[in-house]
Amino acid sequence: MGDQAPSGKLALQTIAMPADTNASGDIFGGWLMAQMDIAASIPARARARGRVATVAVEAMSFHQPVHVGDLVTIYTDIVREGRTSMGIDVETWVTRSPDQEIFRVTQAHFVFVATDGAGNKRALPEAAS
Ligand SMILES: CC(C)(COP(=O)(O)OP(=O)(O)OC[C@H]1O[C@@H](n2cnc3c(N)ncnc32)[C@H](O)[C@@H]1OP(=O)(O)O)[C@@H](O)C(=O)NCCC(=O)NCCS
């Protein structure tokens, strides 16, 4: 695992499949970004207690390629709360057979906004105590 450990809470786990590869046979970066967006939306929806929208993806880094068959695990951490928005750090780690080696493949900072039924921003509710 190197000198680092996953940071944040486990939000989503999936397996990288052959349908998600790019022309080089590695996993397509867009698929990974979509998984990170889904993962980040889980704590965002819980904190907002309702609908949210992705408003920004910042500092997206791809450290290593993902291979078909890798176990993909995504960790999230709400690191900032504004009036209507939340800043969420997202890290993706993979577990690779046969040695069950674990390493970080991506990280990014997502910004979500709480929205109402019409898609307009709304203030975050009080945090649950
Ligand atoms: C989300 C949305 C309703 C926000 O409405 P808006 O009028 O743009 O709202 P604002 O500019 O006042 O921004 C709202 C909050 O988001 C933050 N924000 C907006 N754009 C941001 C950006 N690019 N980076 C970081 N934060 C941003 C603002 O600072 C503000 O935070 P705060 O209320 O906590 O202080 C609107 O931008 C929208 O519908 N965007 C499209 C969302 C979407 O479809 N996402 C999926 C993409 S496929």
Side-chain angles (χ1 to χ4, degrees), residues 14 20 38-39 50 68 78 91 102 111 116:
T14 188
D20 304 315
I38 294 166
V68 170
I78 299 179
E91 292 189 356
I102 297 172
V111 181
D116 62 18

Side-chain angles (χ1 to χ4, degrees), residues 42-74:
I42 293 170
R45 285 160 49 134
R47 174 62 189 88
R49 280 186 245 135
R51 189 167 153 174
V52 296
T54 312
V55 77
V57 183
E58 300 169 354
M60 180 82 213
S61 298
F62 293 90
H63 301 298
Q64 300 205 45
V66 175
H67 297 172
V68 170
D70 283 350
L71 172 64
V72 174
T73 306
I74 304 180

Side-chain angles (χ1 to χ4, degrees), residues 19 28 34 47 79 84 116 122:
F28 179 50
R47 174 62 189 88
V79 293
T84 67
D116 62 18
R122 65 180 165 91

